[in-house]
Amino acid sequence: MNLKKPIVLLAMLILSASISIAQELPSQEEIMDQMVLTNKHLMEKWPDPGVNVITNRERSSNLWTRAVYYEGLMALYGLKKDKAYYDYAVKWGESHNWDLRNGTQTRHADNHCAGQTYIQLYQIDPKPERIEHIQASIDAMLETYKINDWDWIDALQMAMPVFAQLTSLTGDAKYSERMYEMYMDTKVTQGLFNEEDDLWWRDKDFLPPYEEPNGNDCNWSRGNGWVVAAMVRTLEFLPQDDPHRFEYVQMLQRMLKSVLTVQRTDGFWNVSLHDPTHFEGKETSGTALFLYGMAWGVNNGLLEKEVYMPAITKAWNAISTEAIHDNGFLGYLQGTGKEPKDGQPVTYTSKPDFEDYGLGCFLLAGTEMYKLVGKE
């Protein structure tokens, strides 16, 4: 057998793919323009970031959906030091007295999500009140032996980065050690990670024998996207010498290798990863979260560029050319929920119950794309 021929062919394919990618990648200016546009749409819709959010009922604006948006806004501010962005985030924190939804006594991950931005704003201007409540809430959790709070996978993105941030901020590994214990409880004790598929079940309601219509497991796109984001943000904030970093790196790599195989040809991911016909169609939030993880992984040398760049390019172009309206509104965004059927129908013009978290996901993806294109 002639071994040289396949090797030469493979090299040609990689070269061809590289040329194609280089032609298809947007410019940094284009990426920034779309982030600015979509962010402007939300800031103009909510000029007062402290006002309560009213959908099916009234909620304070430090809820998780808005907190995820501020994750994205702070990432954008990291690239574009627009004082309006900083002031908007500070006004949000001040309007809630830097407290958490349902108060400092809360153990709920959704309520802790706001703390990610509070801590980042504290690092910019270390006013004690900015971290007083989030640190007190986490400290109260550490005074107990309870570690099974995170019984749904969205919780990992909402809360894990806070524990990592507090370790970096204080130098005390008690936060990162408790985070690891809680993460492993979710993964192993509660059994929400599927070792066979390298994907997660959203919560115990979706463990086998639960099936999608085609007989496969229910691997919800955005739910798995939240875990991808959790790994990225935890690794970003966690000290480099943390003894559990490899677990999070390996989880990110395993998951992204798995979702790479089920990307749609148009660049999006379906709401159901292993049943493409179950509420089939484009979906922005899960796609943005997978894009965020892949772009961050390539930027940080954890993913092979030649393997992931085609998927990254397709995903960015799909969102940027098909989902963004001229006024900055994001289409194809699934509303809140926990499975493929929730928040349907998902279309270009459909309006989700909350639009803020989708923008947060897009801004996180966009900032990593901006960095990636800059390296090109």
Side-chain angles (χ1 to χ4, degrees):
M1 180 179 179
N2 186 349
L3 295 179
K4 291 184 179 180
K5 194 171 183 179
I7 293 173
V8 171
L9 178 59
L10 177 61
M12 290 176 64
L13 287 172
I14 292 173
L15 177 61
S16 176
S18 299
I19 294 170
S20 175
I21 292 163
Q23 292 172 342
E24 295 175 4
L25 280 174
S27 67
Q28 283 189 312
E29 183 181 6
E30 290 170 323
I31 295 170
M32 182 58 70
D33 285 347
Q34 291 191 309
M35 288 195 291
V36 169
L37 173 67
T38 53
N39 185 66
K40 181 173 180 285
H41 179 266
L42 185 134
M43 286 180 64
E44 288 182 348
K45 181 176 180 180
W46 300 93
D48 179 357
V51 69
N52 285 355
V53 179
I54 301 175
T55 54
N56 60 325
R57 61 186 177 89
E58 190 168 352
R59 298 173 175 86
S60 61
S61 72
N62 55 354
L63 80 167
W64 72 266
T65 68
R66 192 59 56 85
V68 171
Y69 159 68
Y70 281 101
E71 292 177 44
L73 180 64
M74 292 305 294
L76 175 58
Y77 179 71
L79 298 178
K80 183 179 174 66
K81 292 294 193 293
D82 188 326
K83 188 173 182 294
Y85 298 163
Y86 175 78
D87 290 345
Y88 194 63
V90 169
K91 186 177 179 182
W92 176 64
E94 289 177 341
S95 69
H96 298 292
N97 296 314
W98 305 98
D99 203 352
L100 311 174
R101 188 163 182 258
N102 296 329
T104 302
Q105 73 279 4
T106 185
R107 297 179 64 99
H108 202 285
D110 285 355
N111 299 331
H112 287 146
C113 192
Q116 296 186 41
T117 295
Y118 293 171
I119 293 171
Q120 286 184 285
L121 291 170
Y122 171 84
Q123 290 174 309
I124 296 171
D125 186 1
K127 296 179 178 179
E129 64 269 21
R130 294 187 176 186
I131 62 167
E132 175 186 357
H133 295 290
I134 183 59
Q135 187 170 8
S137 184
I138 303 302
D139 283 345
M141 292 181 71
L142 267 59
E143 290 174 1
T144 73
Y145 293 105
K146 190 175 187 296
I147 61 171
N148 62 350
D149 296 87
W150 300 340
D151 56 10
W152 77 111
I153 61 176
D154 314 31
L156 301 182
Q157 195 286 141
M158 305 300 157
M160 282 183 68
V162 170
F163 285 73
Q165 286 172 300
L166 287 173
T167 285
S168 293
L169 194 66
T170 65
D172 196 333
K174 69 180 181 181
Y175 298 108
S176 55
E177 284 300 312
R178 176 56 65 90
M179 173 184 72
Y180 177 73
E181 292 173 358
M182 295 179 71
Y183 160 82
M184 290 302 290
D185 179 84
T186 305
K187 177 187 173 184
V188 179
T189 307
Q190 298 184 50
L192 296 187
F193 181 60
N194 182 347
E195 294 277 355
E196 183 178 346
D197 291 333
D198 287 337
L199 294 171
W200 295 67
W201 293 291
R202 198 270 180 178
D203 55 51
K204 64 180 177 60
D205 293 341
F206 299 95
L207 294 172
Y210 185 94
E211 293 180 350
E212 291 283 78
N214 70 350
N216 287 326
D217 287 351
C218 180
N219 299 122
W220 182 41
S221 178
R222 187 166 69 232
N224 279 276
W226 287 136
V227 182
V228 166
M231 298 304 102
V232 168
R233 292 180 67 74
T234 296
L235 288 166
E236 274 200 326
F237 299 132
L238 199 63
Q240 289 293 323
D241 61 354
D242 185 89
H244 308 299
R245 280 191 72 91
F246 181 70
E247 165 64 29
Y248 310 132
V249 168
Q250 188 179 51
M251 179 56 66
L252 180 66
Q253 292 170 331
R254 292 173 68 178
M255 291 187 70
L256 292 178
K257 182 178 180 181
S258 181
V259 301
L260 185 66
T261 66
V262 291
Q263 186 180 26
R264 292 163 52 100
T265 57
D266 61 13
F268 285 95
W269 275 267
N270 289 301
V271 291
S272 180
L273 296 178
H274 284 174
D275 189 348
T277 62
H278 190 42
F279 293 98
E280 179 180 7
K282 306 166 184 177
E283 202 284 307
T284 298
S285 63
T287 299
L289 290 167
F290 295 144
L291 170 59
Y292 173 48
M294 289 180 181
W296 187 89
V298 171
N299 280 335
N300 288 273
L302 299 179
L303 299 175
E304 303 91 337
K305 180 178 176 181
E306 64 274 11
V307 173
Y308 286 89
M309 281 301 289
I312 289 169
T313 305
K314 284 198 303 181
W316 174 262
N317 289 337
I319 296 175
S320 64
T321 63
E322 298 185 47
I324 300 175
H325 290 228
D326 290 342
N327 66 354
F329 174 78
L330 275 177
Y332 297 114
L333 179 62
Q334 185 183 18
T336 57
K338 65 177 187 176
E339 59 181 308
K341 73 176 180 61
D342 293 331
Q344 296 288 345
V346 176
T347 67
Y348 177 68
T349 57
S350 62
K351 295 184 178 181
D353 49 355
F354 296 88
E355 80 282 19
D356 42 12
Y357 63 87
L359 175 58
C361 297
F362 174 70
L363 293 177
L364 289 171
T367 53
E368 287 303 316
M369 279 297 297
Y370 184 93
K371 297 172 188 175
L372 184 58
V373 169
K375 293 180 179 181
E376 293 295 303

